[in-house]
Amino acid sequence: MNTDELESAVYAAERKVLKIQGKLHRWASDDPHRVFGDLFNLVADPDVLMVAWDRERSNKGAKTAGVDGRTAVSVAQRIGVEEFLDGLRSSLKDRSFRPLPVRERMIPKANGKLRRLGIATIADRVVQAALKLVLEPIFEADFLPCSYGFRPKRRAHDAVAEVRHFTSHSYEWIVEGDIKACFDEISHSALLDRVRLRVGDKRVLALVKAFLKAGILGEDRVLRENNAGTPQGSILSPLMSNVALSVLDEFIAWHPGGPGSDKVERERRRRRGLPNIRLVRFADDWTLMVHGTRTDAETLRGQIAVVLSTMGLRLSEEKTLITHIDEGLDFLGWRIQRHRKPGTSKQYVYTYPARKAVTAVTGKVKTICRRMDTGQPLDALLRQLNPALQGWCAYFRPGVSSATFSYLGHYTWHQVTRWLRRKHPRTTWKDLRSQYAGSGNHGGNNSWWPTTEERQLFNPAKVGTTRYRYRGTAIPTPWPIAP
């Protein structure tokens, strides 16, 4: 199968799979108690496997091999996509398919600790992607609007906007949730019990269980069993973690004063001095907002700990904080805090980059400049710096970020000019300017900005800020409800 034929086959398969997903989502939405029986044939469907392959092939991690040493490129070159998918489908059909252990890779975190990443084989990733294509439309019908992480059409900005919306409307006490090693400690039996509420096909359940139980080949080359958790890096892991953590969403939704209460009931509770609550969750990061007192927030924190324990999860006592919106909180890289608007007596809730996020990006800029060999041209440095700065500014653009962007531009300019001085230790400042000068927006009439013939250093100070529109419950799904 040549490239044009493959692209045509993928396009046709995507259209068919979208129709299948639309039907599954509609059936799940129409009947919240429906248990789907025959899903295995959809997982092993040639079109579903083709779409799963295409998504895995275009994934950033496709170049990384699992324990078998194969990547998407090597499979396409040595075996052929059509032959590979036919063999994978046959092994699924005759039940000879067995997931291989994931290859462990420890990734350093910002706090100095390590995060375990599990890299599955290319065959396992394709089957996981096929499972996700079939299961996601079903569970999306059950997931509540308060959940934003790893869900289609939803993003971190929606979660931050919702926190800002409710804290601006008297939900002033906040429980900042922190779950200890969430992805590593989810109970497999409790998770599978929740999956069985919607999936009755024993072959699909066996596949999900097999992926959960797949061993881990550590960096020390020791094979270990996996009796809890959903390995990070797995394609199926985000969906399974949302299934597990939906116990928290449902508890808050139907708690007195929660989103399930109507406006009249919430007003009645306010008059009686009883709390109303709202939850915003992005994967395992969550924030509970309380229209009440600190005591109410402390009581709810204890109740949430009990709810999470049913999934084998624990709250971190030292990191699960209770704060007031006037003190502010950090959530998904943002600082959310209420303070007086300059020049007025009115108070507003503002969102701007958190200090940890600024420290992280300046640290990245500094590291790139330090690691770049001064024997390389300036353009090589800019090729690494610009995408990092552009991505960071794009994320923090919808907020009160102008001052931070200006500081970041100033900091980056100094790091790059220091690198140029190390590159040309005997060159005068005047000659450096004449060689690398370009128009910029940095400091007055005599300013200059590092520039090459190919590109200019990205200037964060020139990025304009916006306000992200709060979408509430109006976020669409990828699958239309109407038949």
Side-chain angles (χ1 to χ4, degrees), residues 35-316:
V35 180
F36 290 80
D38 187 14
L39 295 176
F40 185 80
N41 287 330
L42 293 179
V43 174
D45 183 85
D47 292 318
V48 173
L49 289 174
M50 176 62 77
V51 174
W53 161 266
D54 182 65
R55 294 190 178 179
E56 169 53 31
R57 178 182 59 85
S58 58
N59 194 301
K60 288 183 178 179
K63 296 180 181 179
T64 307
V67 295
D68 62 352
R70 297 195 300 179
T71 65
V73 174
S74 67
V75 166
Q77 291 177 347
R78 299 175 186 176
I79 303 176
V81 176
E82 194 171 8
E83 291 79 4
F84 172 74
L85 294 180
D86 286 342
L88 193 57
R89 183 169 186 265
S90 297
S91 66
L92 287 170
K93 284 290 191 177
D94 62 23
R95 301 194 183 187
S96 63
F97 175 81
R98 297 290 184 275
L100 292 176
V102 297
R103 181 166 65 88
E104 180 185 65
R105 186 175 180 185
M106 304 304 291
I107 306 296
K109 298 169 66 175
N111 58 9
K113 297 182 179 180
L114 296 175
R115 175 188 291 113
R116 178 186 293 121
L117 189 67
I119 303 171
T121 64
I122 181 65
D124 291 351
R125 280 181 273 182
V126 171
V127 176
Q128 286 188 43
L131 277 168
K132 183 183 177 185
L133 287 170
V134 173
L135 296 180
E136 187 175 55
I138 297 172
F139 287 109
E140 274 293 325
D142 298 334
F143 291 157
L144 298 177
C146 65
S147 168
Y148 292 97
F150 305 115
R151 295 184 58 190
K153 301 287 187 179
R154 291 168 172 259
R155 55 184 74 98
H157 294 107
D158 290 313
V160 173
E162 183 155 329
V163 172
R164 179 179 180 273
H165 172 79
F166 282 110
T167 52
S168 298
H169 291 80
S170 301
Y171 287 78
E172 298 180 349
W173 284 102
I174 297 161
V175 181
E176 300 179 61
D178 186 274
I179 302 174
K180 282 186 176 180
C182 176
F183 288 91
D184 296 330
E185 296 191 0
I186 292 175
S187 167
H188 288 171
S189 59
L191 172 57
L192 287 169
D193 285 342
R194 291 191 65 81
V195 174
R196 289 189 188 98
L197 295 176
R198 277 301 202 171
V199 179
D201 193 320
K202 292 183 178 180
R203 295 167 296 179
V204 171
L205 290 169
L207 265 182
V208 173
K209 183 176 181 179
F211 280 118
L212 291 175
K213 296 291 185 182
I216 300 173
L217 182 64
E219 292 184 333
D220 54 4
R221 308 304 295 175
V222 175
L223 182 62
R224 295 187 295 273
E225 293 183 353
N226 184 28
N227 297 315
T230 59
Q232 286 183 271
S234 159
I235 294 173
L236 204 56
S237 180
L239 176 61
M240 291 296 102
S241 64
N242 272 331
V243 171
L245 291 172
S246 60
V247 296
L248 174 59
D249 306 342
E250 294 165 5
F251 170 74
I252 296 299
W254 303 115
H255 191 281
S261 304
D262 58 25
K263 185 176 180 180
V264 174
E265 174 63 19
R266 291 196 298 271
E267 290 292 344
R268 184 182 297 115
R269 291 179 62 83
R270 287 172 184 166
R271 290 195 299 269
R272 295 177 179 177
L274 299 174
N276 292 318
I277 55 177
R278 285 292 187 277
L279 175 74
V280 174
R281 182 176 65 81
F282 191 94
D284 60 333
D285 291 325
W286 57 270
T287 295
L288 181 71
M289 295 156 287
V290 182
H291 184 298
T293 64
R294 182 185 180 91
T295 302
D296 295 327
E298 291 172 347
T299 301
L300 285 159
R301 178 176 60 180
Q303 294 174 352
I304 288 173
V306 174
V307 170
L308 291 175
S309 67
T310 63
M311 298 303 301
L313 300 173
R314 300 170 296 155
L315 283 182
S316 171

Side-chain angles (χ1 to χ4, degrees), residues 17-18 21-22 25 133 136-138 140 152 477-481:
V17 169
L18 188 60
Q21 289 181 313
H25 185 67
L133 287 170
E136 187 175 55
I138 297 172
E140 274 293 325
T477 70
W479 314 288
I481 297 296

